[in-house]
Amino acid sequence: QVQLVESGGGLVQAGGSLRLSCAASGRTFSTYTMGWFRQAPGKEREFVTAIGGRNSTYYTASVKGRFTISRDNAKNTVYLQMNSLKPEDTAVYYCAARVGAIPALRVYEYAYWGQGTQVTVSS
């Protein structure tokens, strides 16, 4: 069982930055693929980015060049650095984990989820 706890959300003006963190329990963190998803009001949860066990990364097109995912296996933590934020980035951001080193892009491919953290970008 893996428990995930996100932090770092908040309110920021357009063009600003935020850094989200996700702390994971367990002793096999380095073997998990970690992902970030987001869900805006009235919309389905959508893939944002993922990082595999060998640090391979994937990004949805709308955040490429603005968001960066990284992980610190010694701290069992994954980060999401978000720069040049836009109002359309406003959503609840969820951290997710799946067994295996190969990143996945779909919600159902992740077995473990955090509680979510709100990110609000004002125009």
Side-chain angles (χ1 to χ4, degrees), residues 8 11-19 66 81-85:
L11 173 65
V12 65
Q13 288 188 333
S17 298
L18 281 175
R19 188 196 196 200
R66 301 189 298 121
Q81 178 67 43
M82 305 186 294
N83 298 328
S84 301
L85 282 160

Side-chain angles (χ1 to χ4, degrees), residues 72-123:
D72 185 337
N73 290 335
K75 296 182 178 180
N76 279 19
T77 301
V78 62
Y79 304 98
L80 180 62
Q81 178 67 43
M82 305 186 294
N83 298 328
S84 301
L85 282 160
K86 304 176 181 180
E88 51 263 44
D89 295 318
T90 295
V92 177
Y93 282 71
Y94 295 90
C95 175
R98 69 185 299 268
V99 176
I102 301 174
L105 310 184
R106 296 173 180 81
V107 170
Y108 69 81
E109 295 179 291
Y110 288 80
Y112 307 103
W113 292 85
Q115 81 287 354
T117 185
Q118 177 70 46
V119 171
T120 303
V121 184
S122 64
S123 58

Side-chain angles (χ1 to χ4, degrees), residues 1-86:
Q1 187 75 10
V2 177
Q3 292 185 326
L4 305 173
V5 179
E6 302 101 334
S7 61
L11 173 65
V12 65
Q13 288 188 333
S17 298
L18 281 175
R19 188 196 196 200
L20 305 184
S21 299
C22 173
S25 64
R27 290 176 287 181
T28 58
F29 176 77
S30 62
T31 66
Y32 284 79
T33 284
M34 302 300 297
W36 287 97
F37 289 74
R38 65 187 179 186
Q39 188 167 17
K43 294 188 177 181
E44 293 186 354
R45 193 169 298 188
E46 64 173 1
F47 172 80
V48 176
T49 180
I51 185 166
R54 295 183 178 88
N55 286 337
S56 55
T57 57
Y58 295 83
Y59 296 90
T60 193
S62 63
V63 308
K64 278 184 179 179
R66 301 189 298 121
F67 290 12
T68 302
I69 189 171
S70 61
R71 66 191 300 161
D72 185 337
N73 290 335
K75 296 182 178 180
N76 279 19
T77 301
V78 62
Y79 304 98
L80 180 62
Q81 178 67 43
M82 305 186 294
N83 298 328
S84 301
L85 282 160
K86 304 176 181 180

